[in-house]
Structure formats: structure tokens, C-alpha cells
Amino acid sequence: MEEKALIPLNDEYVEKMFLGQTDDPISVTGLSLTQAERIIDQMVEYKKLRMMYSCALKEIRTKFDVLNTEFSVRYQRNPIDFITMRVKSTHSIFEKMRRQNQKFTMTSLEENINDIAGIRVICSYVDDIYMLAQSLIAQDDIRLV
């Protein structure tokens, strides 16, 4: 069976395909089975990576919630006013990598982007920030980088 000639994919189309912003079946039909499988594998790996960051944020938030509850019981006050979390959008990650002239690969993403996920803990007092930070890194499953 003769393999069809490949339709060259430009960066804009690959970005749209990766971000799930196109359902254009004509462009995809120009891919070989190997290329299509590679793209799908990369998309699955990327989704797994985003899921791991999301789960890590939930775990850290839980740790802060437990510390807040512990301080409420021990000292009758809550040092944490509120917590916000976010996982950087795919578009924002892609744009940052483009600005840094990095290839959009899983390895490059993991090695070069340090702000994929973030958590913001707001406290009323500066001393509470340092106390919470010390309490968090004192846990055996937390490592300060």
C-alpha cells in the first residue's frame, strides 16, 4: 500500500491542533499513521503533566489547610486569609516557550518552565508567612527548591 504524501504542517496549525482549537479533518488526513500516533502520544503526555501539576497543587493546598486548622486549635487564630491556585494555560506556556526560543517538547517544558503551577497564600501578618513557610518545609515530604 502506497503511503500518501505528507502535507507540511506550519507552526500555527500545530499550535491550534495542540490546543484543541481545530477540527479540520482534511489537514489531519495528510499525516502518516506514525506522525498521528506521535502527536497523540505527546498530547496524552502533556495532559498527564498538567494533571500532575494540578494534583500537586491540591496536595499543597491541603497541607496549608491542615496547618491553618492546627493553628486555629492551638492558638485560637487562623494565619491564612485565603489561598488561590492556578495551572498556567497551555496557550500561556506555548507563548512563553516561543519567547524563550524553546522547542515545545515535554523535556524542554519540564526543564525550562518553572511557573507552570502556582499557589498564593495570603496572610494578615508578615510573621505568619515565615511561620507557615517553616511549618511547611519542616514536613518530611516537602523539599525547598
Side-chain angles (χ1 to χ4, degrees):
M1 184 165 128
E2 187 177 317
E3 190 173 58
K4 293 183 180 182
L6 299 177
I7 298 172
L9 300 174
N10 61 30
D11 289 343
E12 181 181 329
Y13 178 76
V14 171
E15 178 183 357
K16 283 182 178 181
M17 188 168 63
F18 194 83
L19 297 175
Q21 296 174 344
T22 183
D23 293 324
D24 181 9
I26 296 169
S27 296
V28 175
T29 58
L31 295 175
S32 71
L33 183 57
T34 304
Q35 288 173 317
E37 286 173 345
R38 194 177 78 225
I39 289 170
I40 290 168
D41 287 345
Q42 289 172 348
M43 289 172 64
V44 167
E45 286 303 310
Y46 178 74
K47 285 184 177 189
K48 284 181 188 176
L49 181 74
R50 287 186 61 85
M51 183 247 345
M52 287 190 313
Y53 277 104
S54 179
C55 290
L57 281 178
K58 289 175 184 175
E59 188 172 330
I60 295 297
R61 178 172 183 133
T62 299
K63 289 181 179 294
F64 278 118
D65 288 340
V66 168
L67 287 172
N68 203 35
T69 302
E70 181 180 344
F71 273 81
S72 176
V73 170
R74 287 185 184 204
Y75 307 110
Q76 289 73 50
R77 69 184 190 89
N78 296 88
I80 299 174
D81 286 335
F82 66 92
I83 299 172
T84 58
M85 307 181 311
R86 67 107 175 110
V87 176
K88 188 183 277 280
S89 71
T90 302
H91 180 74
S92 183
I93 292 169
F94 191 85
E95 287 302 315
K96 186 168 190 174
M97 293 187 79
R98 185 190 309 248
R99 284 192 309 272
Q100 293 179 356
N101 291 323
Q102 299 291 331
K103 290 184 178 182
F104 198 74
T105 65
M106 294 302 294
T107 302
S108 179
L109 177 66
E110 291 178 47
E111 291 175 358
N112 298 298
I113 305 298
N114 298 317
D115 64 342
I116 293 174
I119 187 165
R120 177 177 291 153
V121 180
I122 306 297
C123 300
S124 295
Y125 303 102
V126 174
D127 290 342
D128 288 342
I129 297 167
Y130 294 105
M131 177 272 305
L132 282 170
Q134 286 302 317
S135 297
L136 188 66
I137 62 173
Q139 297 180 23
D140 62 355
D141 61 341
I142 298 291
R143 182 173 56 107
L144 180 63
V145 179

